[in-house]
Amino acid sequence: MFDILKIIHSIVREVFTISKYKNNRSFHSGALNSFPSTILVDEHTGLPNFTYGRRVLAQRMDEKKADMRSFVLLKITITNFPKILNSFGYTTGNKVINKTSERLKQHISGGNFLFSSYLDGWFVIYEGDNPQKIAEEIIEWIQRPLQINGQTFLLNCNIGISAYPDDGTTEEDLLKYVTIATSNATSLGTGKIGHYFPNQSEELLKRFQLANDLHQSITQSELYMEYQPKIDVKSLQVTGAEALIRWKHPVLGNISPGVFIPIAIETGFEEYITVFVIDETIRQLKQWEKDGVSHPCVSFNLAPHNLGNPHLYDLIKVTIEKYDVSPHHLEIEVTEDSMRTDRDKMKNTIERIQSLGIQFSLDDMGNGFASVKDLVHLKFDTLKIDRSLIDNLEDNEEQQIVLRNVLEMSKNLKIKSLVEGVERKGQLDLLKAFGCMEVQGFYFSPSVSGEEMGRWFRNNACPK
């Protein structure tokens, strides 16, 4: 999915700032001397600040307007700067920005103009040839190791480029579009250069509106949970359910988790969703017990960075006690993306939660970063195999070989195997022949309400 969410707050903040000063005469040509010099300087870097930079940008546009001569605006961002702040604090963070600013000053000269963009980036008005090449050089300068107080810092840099007059003919548009271009670079990875493409502004505004609406969704009871049955391959009995979060927007209807979960993560709302998922799943577990379901089992999903939350163990423990349920009926699913994080730290978190009696499942196996070593080292209870390994199972001999070996490995390691995304009887028949223990998918049922899932549990059998 096109990833422009990582700097959505930066985009909104800058667009709002641009709009705020759009009609302010003091920003226009001829008013440069109306501000004291201290107001025009960024306190962290000593560079011209954003206020001054906007005025210079407006002047350059006025100068080029008559003959429509072109120039470009670059936006430089340090994508891992928030992690530096969190790990080392603002004093060290400021030193990182100051030293990087000194590097940029040494290389950007002539008729080109460098100014600050708040705390974590810079703009360059560039009038030379080949802006792509200068952007590549800037990335190389910034990503060289940086020594501060005996500590080596490796910065991750991305750059966006917007052109006058091709992309925009007002300072407002050019600043907005270069910020979007920077988000495009971020979506490509580290050390990348991005450009603005038409119609992206509308997409950004839609996503920003969704971010605002999402913050109101819990109080408005728009978020809710559904449950997809897990089925024993041999007996076709119901063995449990996976809890899946849903959002019914009052105007747009059902919003896919693939859309709103990334928005939640990047706008800082994901922790609220985590609390909601844990509380609502365990509440429903208790409700099933009250309704006469014997030993219902339910799993819920956690994002990789949740495992680094020092309060996760306490949150789960307190919620279990609140609803007075058995932790042995709970399972937590973590994706293979979790393997990117500190394995020892993750192992400690998993073991603490497992000490409560909760099981862990490795989700989306075959679509990420896990290895056999991870399965053993982290002591997962269930191996959940991604649907991508069975999408063409009946006709693909290579898929059959891979799947058969993965299931055999799971058996030898004494780890329960579950394959998700089963949609056809042919897939089910092969999975049964290969020794798969459990399945889930639309062949049996889509996700259903808690009440409907309770009926599945009480019947203890699949209608197939």
Side-chain angles (χ1 to χ4, degrees), residues 228-229 242 384-392 418-424 427-428 431 438-445:
Q228 187 171 42
E242 178 184 3
K384 195 168 184 181
I385 298 167
D386 186 69
R387 66 179 66 240
S388 63
L389 290 183
I390 66 163
D391 55 359
N392 193 31
L418 184 151
V419 174
E420 59 183 342
V422 176
E423 299 179 351
R424 302 183 297 273
Q427 292 172 318
L428 178 64
L431 290 172
E438 294 182 0
V439 292
Q440 68 182 90
F442 276 34
Y443 179 70
F444 297 100
S445 174

Side-chain angles (χ1 to χ4, degrees), residues 163-391:
Y164 173 87
D166 293 344
D167 292 335
T169 56
T170 68
E171 66 208 67
E172 180 178 5
D173 284 345
L174 209 59
L175 285 164
K176 179 170 65 175
Y177 296 156
V178 77
T179 302
I180 295 172
T182 309
S183 75
N184 293 343
T186 301
S187 72
L188 299 174
T190 298
K192 303 297 183 181
I193 300 167
H195 298 266
Y196 170 73
F197 301 102
N199 303 321
Q200 287 187 258
S201 299
E202 183 179 350
E203 176 69 14
L204 271 174
L205 291 175
K206 286 180 180 178
R207 291 182 180 277
F208 179 58
Q209 184 60 54
L210 278 180
N212 283 338
D213 293 346
L214 186 58
H215 280 69
Q216 304 176 37
S217 60
I218 286 184
T219 57
Q220 300 298 324
S221 300
E222 296 168 11
L223 293 180
Y224 63 99
M225 303 299 294
E226 289 189 332
Y227 304 85
Q228 187 171 42
K230 298 179 181 179
I231 307 296
D232 180 272
V233 172
K234 292 183 177 179
S235 67
L236 296 186
Q237 290 187 331
V238 181
T239 59
E242 178 184 3
L244 299 164
I245 189 167
R246 299 288 185 253
W247 178 20
K248 188 172 183 178
H249 191 281
V251 176
L252 301 176
N254 291 322
I255 306 293
S256 167
V259 172
F260 73 80
I261 293 297
I263 293 176
I265 291 173
E266 300 305 331
T267 58
F269 191 59
E270 197 269 340
E271 295 301 330
Y272 294 95
I273 287 185
T274 298
V275 171
F276 174 82
V277 167
I278 292 173
D279 187 87
E280 182 61 19
T281 301
I282 295 177
R283 184 205 65 78
Q284 182 62 68
L285 179 62
K286 183 63 177 181
Q287 185 61 51
W288 286 329
E289 292 179 351
K290 288 181 178 179
D291 293 341
V293 176
S294 178
H295 307 304
C297 293
V298 63
S299 64
F300 59 89
N301 295 272
L302 288 182
H305 65 272
N306 286 141
L307 297 176
N309 186 336
H311 305 296
L312 179 63
Y313 170 86
D314 293 327
L315 171 62
I316 293 173
K317 185 173 184 292
V318 166
T319 309
I320 288 172
E321 293 171 349
K322 171 184 173 182
Y323 291 108
D324 188 27
V325 300
S326 170
H328 297 282
H329 297 157
L330 290 168
E331 183 176 64
I332 295 174
E333 298 187 13
V334 295
T335 65
E336 279 197 290
D337 282 344
S338 304
M339 303 301 107
R340 296 180 177 182
T341 62
D342 186 326
R343 283 166 167 77
D344 290 332
K345 185 176 181 180
M346 192 167 91
K347 183 174 187 288
N348 180 62
T349 301
I350 289 177
E351 287 180 345
R352 284 195 73 202
I353 296 174
Q354 283 177 325
S355 70
L356 297 173
I358 297 174
Q359 295 192 344
F360 269 82
S361 170
L362 178 60
D363 195 11
D364 296 338
M365 176 66 179
N367 195 34
F369 299 87
S371 66
V372 177
K373 180 181 178 182
D374 295 319
L375 290 173
V376 176
H377 180 65
L378 297 171
K379 301 187 184 307
F380 285 102
D381 302 283
T382 301
L383 177 62
K384 195 168 184 181
I385 298 167
D386 186 69
R387 66 179 66 240
S388 63
L389 290 183
I390 66 163
D391 55 359

Side-chain angles (χ1 to χ4, degrees), residues 104-116:
L104 289 171
K105 289 178 191 177
Q106 293 171 12
H107 291 92
I108 296 172
S109 58
N112 306 310
F113 186 77
L114 171 69
F115 62 100
S116 290

Side-chain angles (χ1 to χ4, degrees), residues 69-137:
R69 285 179 293 159
S70 64
F71 66 88
V72 300
L73 182 66
L74 310 179
K75 183 179 180 185
I76 307 164
T77 59
I78 306 300
T79 56
N80 60 336
F81 186 69
K83 291 183 179 179
I84 293 173
L85 283 183
N86 291 336
S87 300
F88 298 95
Y90 278 88
T91 299
T92 299
N94 286 339
K95 290 180 179 179
V96 168
I97 292 297
N98 291 341
K99 285 208 169 188
T100 305
S101 296
E102 289 299 322
R103 285 183 175 178
L104 289 171
K105 289 178 191 177
Q106 293 171 12
H107 291 92
I108 296 172
S109 58
N112 306 310
F113 186 77
L114 171 69
F115 62 100
S116 290
S117 168
Y118 303 105
L119 184 61
D120 60 347
W122 304 263
F123 289 100
V124 179
I125 301 173
Y126 181 74
E127 299 192 46
D129 297 327
N130 200 343
Q132 186 81 11
K133 184 175 185 295
I134 193 66
E136 292 171 356
E137 291 175 354

